[in-house]
Amino acid sequence: MSEDTAAGRHQTDADTGRAGIVLAGGRSNRFPTVDKALAPLDGKPLLWHAVDSVAPTADELIVNCRRDQREAFAEVLSEFPIRFAIDRVPDRGPLVGLRTALAESTATYAAVLPCDMPSIPAAFLDFLFTRAKNRTGAVARFEGRLQPFPAVVHVRAAAAACREAEATGADRLDAFISAVDPHTLPERIVRAHIDPTAFRNINTHDDLAAARDS
Ligand SMILES: Nc1nc2c(ncn2[C@@H]2O[C@H](COP(=O)(O)OP(=O)(O)OP(=O)(O)O)[C@@H](O)[C@H]2O)c(=O)[nH]1
Ligand SMILES: [Mg+2]
């Protein structure tokens, strides 16, 4: 199910075969009283930062969320040519949200990031796209483990991996990554290309305060 919105200054004209998918359909339970996607950092909502990271390197921008979030998100993202992939049934988890977004994509590869990673440089996503070429995807190893986000995935391979992972009872994001079987960037390469704070993930008000202070 897709809903188009107006495009703005980030209208792209090249067909890169690349999509940017931002997952934002969560309930922010660890971030009480507001939707963390709309919480401001440096004057812009976290969701805006995530979309801004991927906009320079993709020509199709998809935000996955619940129907009740759409209006507020469209407002803060009005400068981007966003397509919304709305959850048919809310609260089924990020993997179901991802599958909904992938189904909307006409690209070959997609960069996937959550709304709460505001500090990923566009150049790093570009690097992941480059490494994913001719493979099913590329992810980074950081702090000793494979990071599910940001990931660049082959859209069709990832849709199949979502279905496979949804059928498992284990941690479904980890099951998804192993089903995609992406290229893994070794930690030393990741650290050479990106500041460690870029991987920060805002789950709580304290996390946001720390990001504001740095
Ligand atoms: N579509 C969809 N996206 C989700 C769902 N749960 C989490 N997400 C998204 O997945 C990403 C990672 O999830 P979390 O960091 O746990 O975010 P969250 O679930 O909103 O926050 P908590 O309630 O504190 O766990 C975020 O971008 C969320 O918006 C869901 O049920 N549906
Ligand atoms: Mg959650």
Side-chain angles (χ1 to χ4, degrees):
M1 194 184 303
S2 78
E3 300 184 12
D4 293 323
T5 63
R9 76 173 163 86
H10 285 274
Q11 190 69 270
T12 53
D13 49 15
D15 179 6
T16 58
R18 295 173 170 187
I21 291 175
V22 179
L23 302 177
R27 293 279 177 183
S28 311
N29 289 310
R30 288 166 288 175
F31 201 96
T33 71
V34 289
D35 188 336
K36 67 179 170 181
L38 295 172
L41 174 66
D42 298 334
K44 295 284 190 183
L46 292 180
L47 174 63
W48 184 95
H49 287 284
V51 172
D52 192 52
S53 292
V54 77
T57 191
D59 56 3
E60 185 181 72
L61 298 174
I62 298 173
V63 171
N64 162 248
C65 64
R66 304 185 309 272
R67 182 166 299 283
D68 60 286
Q69 295 172 296
R70 183 185 177 281
E71 192 179 339
F73 288 0
E75 197 169 316
V76 300
L77 299 174
S78 60
E79 71 202 78
F80 298 101
I82 294 292
R83 227 158 66 222
F84 283 94
I86 302 293
D87 287 338
R88 285 171 196 276
V89 180
D91 307 323
R92 289 262 168 106
L95 205 58
V96 174
L98 175 57
R99 185 156 57 83
T100 304
L102 289 166
E104 286 304 324
S105 178
T106 59
T108 308
Y109 286 92
V112 183
L113 64 169
C115 62
D116 58 5
M117 286 185 102
S119 311
I120 302 289
F124 187 70
L125 296 175
D126 201 46
F127 184 54
L128 284 176
F129 272 116
T130 308
R131 291 304 177 97
K133 197 156 184 237
N134 300 323
R135 294 169 162 137
T136 50
V139 293
R141 184 176 288 280
F142 186 71
E143 291 181 341
R145 64 179 294 255
L146 285 192
Q147 301 293 327
F149 303 128
V152 166
V153 292
H154 186 280
V155 168
R156 221 164 340 125
C162 280
R163 289 191 291 271
E164 203 175 302
E166 280 169 34
T168 73
D171 182 314
R172 300 197 300 177
L173 272 181
D174 285 346
F176 166 72
I177 294 296
S178 35
V180 171
D181 191 22
H183 172 67
T184 303
L185 297 184
E187 183 141 1
R188 79 195 141 71
I189 294 188
V190 173
R191 286 185 182 273
H193 281 81
I194 198 169
D195 186 283
T197 59
F199 276 93
R200 77 175 138 223
N201 174 228
I202 311 294
N203 286 314
T204 65
H205 286 281
D206 283 349
D207 292 340
L208 185 58
R212 285 181 179 141
D213 287 346
S214 64

